[in-house]
Amino acid sequence: MSKTYRSLTLPLWAMFAVLLASQASAHGVAAQDQGFLVSASGIHLGPFIYLGAKHMVTGYDHLLYLVGVIFFLGKLRDVATFVSLFALGHSITLLTGVLSGIHVNPNIIDAIIGLSVCYKALENLGTIRLMNPKSAVFGFGLVHGLGLSSKLQDLSLSKDGLIANMLAFNVGVEIGQVLSLTVLFAALAWLRARPDFPSLSTTANVFLFAAGLILFGMQTVGYFIS
């Protein structure tokens, strides 16, 4: 990769990060989906599986973090290990939060999620490692799940069929995660095969850090003005 190309690539990544963050409200739920969730009473397994998968596939915060997690993992076994830890943490707080009523200000949680993206990017860049990577992935999975559960609680879901619906929603989240990771893993495998991967990996992780920092900033501002 030429020096000129590298000098142009970073600003382009940064611009993309800004545009991405401006369109992304972490753990946001589309207006039409909110209407269904608020009005749904009784068991609706299919729709909740679909909404869970949709949330993961379109959840920029989840995808940014997971890209960081699997960025240097070349073996599917390693990917499965780390992603399973994230999924376990996410499932625990998603289900526990909604079913028990544990609620945390979404702006605070989403700000922490932004920092989780920053942390993983810095870890990938080799500038920081404050904890065991597996413990970090599990811990941040707990945070991500709590953020989603808080957003769902704000919609005042019907208690009728809530347990079954939340289990279905969580199944959908994991399905969406598998679909997303299939694409991401293939893209990263192609990237790792390039001779200029070292410089590309630095640029990509700087982008991840910038995106996480923007998400953190947006949610911090949101907390103080809400």
Side-chain angles (χ1 to χ4, degrees):
M1 180 183 290
S2 68
K3 183 177 180 180
T4 301
Y5 181 79
R6 288 199 300 269
S7 67
L8 290 173
T9 299
L10 185 55
L12 288 174
W13 274 117
M15 289 173 62
F16 182 68
V18 172
L19 291 173
L20 177 63
S22 68
Q23 296 297 319
S25 173
H27 292 112
V29 180
Q32 63 270 27
D33 296 336
Q34 290 183 26
F36 168 78
L37 290 170
V38 169
S39 63
S41 180
I43 297 176
H44 302 275
L45 299 183
F48 273 86
I49 290 175
Y50 165 77
L51 290 177
K54 178 182 178 181
H55 170 77
M56 176 56 75
V57 172
T58 61
Y60 299 112
D61 55 337
H62 288 308
L63 297 181
L64 286 170
Y65 183 69
L66 290 175
V67 165
V69 169
I70 71 171
F71 197 87
F72 291 113
L73 299 181
K75 297 180 180 179
L76 283 174
R77 180 177 61 186
D78 294 332
V79 172
T81 298
F82 277 89
V83 173
S84 295
L85 288 170
F86 178 82
L88 177 61
H90 187 279
S91 299
I92 289 172
T93 48
L94 170 59
L95 295 174
T96 302
V98 173
L99 298 179
S100 67
I102 297 174
H103 187 278
V104 180
N105 186 295
N107 290 118
I108 294 176
I109 294 299
D110 290 344
I112 296 173
I113 288 172
L115 289 179
S116 76
V117 177
C118 291
Y119 175 83
K120 191 59 194 177
L122 291 175
E123 191 177 67
N124 287 347
L125 289 167
T127 60
I128 192 172
R129 176 168 290 187
L130 301 178
M131 53 188 127
N132 179 279
K134 292 181 180 179
S135 299
V137 168
F138 175 73
F140 285 131
L142 293 171
V143 175
H144 281 239
L146 186 59
L148 177 54
S149 71
S150 295
K151 284 293 178 66
L152 291 175
Q153 288 178 68
D154 288 341
L155 299 177
S156 300
L157 302 178
S158 171
K159 299 296 184 182
D160 184 13
L162 181 61
I163 295 177
N165 289 335
M166 283 300 96
L167 288 172
F169 188 92
N170 195 65
V171 168
V173 166
E174 304 316 324
I175 291 174
Q177 181 169 264
V178 170
L179 293 174
S180 299
L181 284 172
T182 299
V183 176
L184 293 174
F185 184 77
L188 289 171
W190 171 80
L191 195 65
R192 282 191 293 269
R194 292 175 58 93
D196 53 355
F197 175 68
S199 58
L200 285 174
S201 67
T202 298
T203 300
N205 281 286
V206 168
F207 154 68
L208 282 178
F209 178 82
L213 192 62
I214 292 170
L215 288 172
F216 169 75
M218 291 175 61
Q219 298 303 326
T220 300
V221 171
Y223 172 77
F224 285 108
I225 66 175
S226 62

